[in-house]
Amino acid sequence: MSLIHLRNISRCYQMGAETIHALRDVSLEIQRGEYVAIMGPSGSGKSTLMNLIGCLDTPTAGHYELNGANVSEMDDNQLAEIRNREIGFVFQTFNLLSRSNALHNVELPLIYNGMAMEQRRRVALDALAQVGLADRVHHKPNELSGGQRQRVAVARALVNKPSLLLADEPTGNLDSRTGAEIMTLFEELSRKGNTLVLVTHEEDIAKHARRIIRLRDGLIASDEKQAAGPG
Amino acid sequence: MNSRRNWSFFFAELHESFSMALTALTAHKLRSALTLLGVLIGVFSIIVVMTAMRVLERNVENNLSQLGSRTFAIQKWPEVQFGNNSDWEKYWRRKNITLELGETVEKKATLASAVGIEGTFWGGQIQTRYAKTAPTVQLLGETTGSFEARNWTVEEGRIFNDNDVDDARDVCVLGAALAKSIFPFGSPVGNELKINGINYNVVGVLASKGASLGGNQDNFVIVPLTTALNRYGLRWNGLGILVQARTSAVYADCEEQVRGILRAARKVRPGAADDFELFSNDSLIEQFDKFTRAVRIGVVVVSSIALLAAGVGIMNIMLVSVTERTREIGVRRAVGAKRRNIMGQFIMEAVVLCEIGGVIGVVLGILGGNILAWFMKVPPAVPVDWSVLGLLICSIVGVIFGTYPAYKAANLDPIESLRYE
């Protein structure tokens, strides 16, 4: 059974009198442990696809199963639970809580699954150590560099041991050197067996993935596997 | 999910809500301070007035508790008058309470264990060979029963006996403080003193009741009522009658009995109002409470309006806060916060804001109200009930006015809010 199982997914938005078909009848399987890049120009539906895969949104039509759970039928609370349990988000703009230190930012998902305080702290510290920020746990985001901030975000995404790491333009706000650092980190995470889905419009970034799915006008234009990326 | 996990869930959420509230509030100190000022003022005004009332009440209780328990008094004039003075003429027209009337009560009141008749006379100057007082010592005329009814105990010597009163002898009993000041070197009993130039024999000294509010309670001299009446005449305000019921159980009956005796003796028509005042400690305190009730209700109403206005201010600031933190809400939703988590967090923020204002308001209110206590030299009062109520109201205001902004926050679309600039 694949980790992500999308069957005939459509997503429409109502914009005034006009109906916009962001995704049209998309079917897609992603296996556990895969490293996938989703590419496409703006308006191609890649954000919509990411929101659906990330359980932030539900499809207008079609069937989505994540790790055996039927997401397409879930209500808001169940979606929140599955996001908490199964998905780690990494955003282009980091989206850290600016007034909280790195540790608290990483602890955030654990708070919502009700982990006890001491255990939470230990797990969060572990996650921060994993991304190489063991010495920065009490720094606030504005005291960290862009690369470090994104590492905190990665630690936050990993802390719940999700089955899927979903990164939306993770290097978009970073210079190429720190961007490369983050990509190396992803490489490493992938090697450790994490499932990664990367949404990007940059070819160099996508090249790191083992599989590239290209979207155009709400349809999958191509879906190709490639050998291990550079680096 | 087992119950232990449920609990830790609950506490994690609560703790997170609370720390989020504090972080949010400290991030905008001035804004938070201005917002909670409204609540602070509302709570302050309730607490300061309630504290002041408590202090006044205590003062009045202290001042009024001159009567022993089970004792009530009858006078032509009310003992204290709170509020309007319009009945002045009514009291003025009443017949005086005379010694004969008092004696009638003494004779007929079978439920009373003691009946005293007393009159207050003008301040006099007391002179002994050791000292001379200012001409302000209160002169009281009393009968034998007064001592029991007034709860006076003798420290030294004796109280009046019937002969002292019947024969209008020139004897006196001294208040403790007065005795000390005019006979500094030994027992006053058996010695002579001059009240406004006339010689009296000291037969006893009362035990001290302690210096209480507004001066010394024990600065008086007591002479037999008959002596005082012979010498100084009946004053315009007439005499007072003190009645002590045999037991607490017959207190009410005793009051009715005496009322009946007085009405019969003074020929009050059935159905007409009493032409005398009958009061006890309790009825005086009750009277004071009645007088202050209007003030208290007024304050509660005004403060409620202030708190309502403060609540609107809080709602306003919370709405701003929700808009400002749209992204944060998006992040929290993305990592697994449910709608109710977000809702709880924002309501908590409103409640914490209100409670900070409330606590400061209570503290300042208690301090403010007790300035009065300090001026009146009364022990300070802390209206615990009102403080708790005030804080409870703060929480309610927080919940009521925090709910709509919180609801708005909880229902933001996570995708939109993650993208919000």
Side-chain angles (χ1 to χ4, degrees), chain B residues 318-370:
Chain B
M318 290 302 295
L319 285 171
V320 172
S321 179
V322 168
T323 309
E324 269 181 0
R325 290 177 20 227
T326 302
R327 257 191 120 105
E328 177 186 327
I329 294 163
V331 174
R332 286 176 186 272
R333 295 280 276 138
V335 302
K338 293 178 183 142
R339 285 202 175 122
R340 63 174 170 77
N341 297 134
I342 302 292
M343 186 126 178
Q345 282 170 10
F346 277 91
I347 288 178
M348 175 68 112
E349 189 173 321
V351 170
V352 168
L353 193 64
C354 286
E355 280 301 322
I356 294 173
V359 168
I360 299 174
V362 165
V363 170
L364 290 183
I366 289 174
L367 289 178
N370 279 314

Side-chain angles (χ1 to χ4, degrees), chain B residues 19 29 50 60-61 67 80 155 286-287 312 345 350 385:
Chain B
S19 64
K29 288 193 187 66
M50 293 308 164
V60 167
E61 275 171 31
L67 295 181
V80 273
E155 172 100 11
E286 204 172 290
Q287 216 178 327
V312 173
Q345 282 170 10
D385 44 354

Side-chain angles (χ1 to χ4, degrees), chain B residues 66-73 113-114 146 148-151 241-245 251 255 279-282:
Chain B
Q66 7 162 323
L67 295 181
S69 61
R70 323 201 308 263
T71 302
F72 56 92
S113 58
S146 301
E148 194 181 338
R150 274 258 180 226
N151 242 358
I241 304 172
L242 298 164
V243 182
Q244 185 178 48
Y251 180 87
E255 213 177 87
F279 62 88
S280 63
N281 279 341
D282 290 348

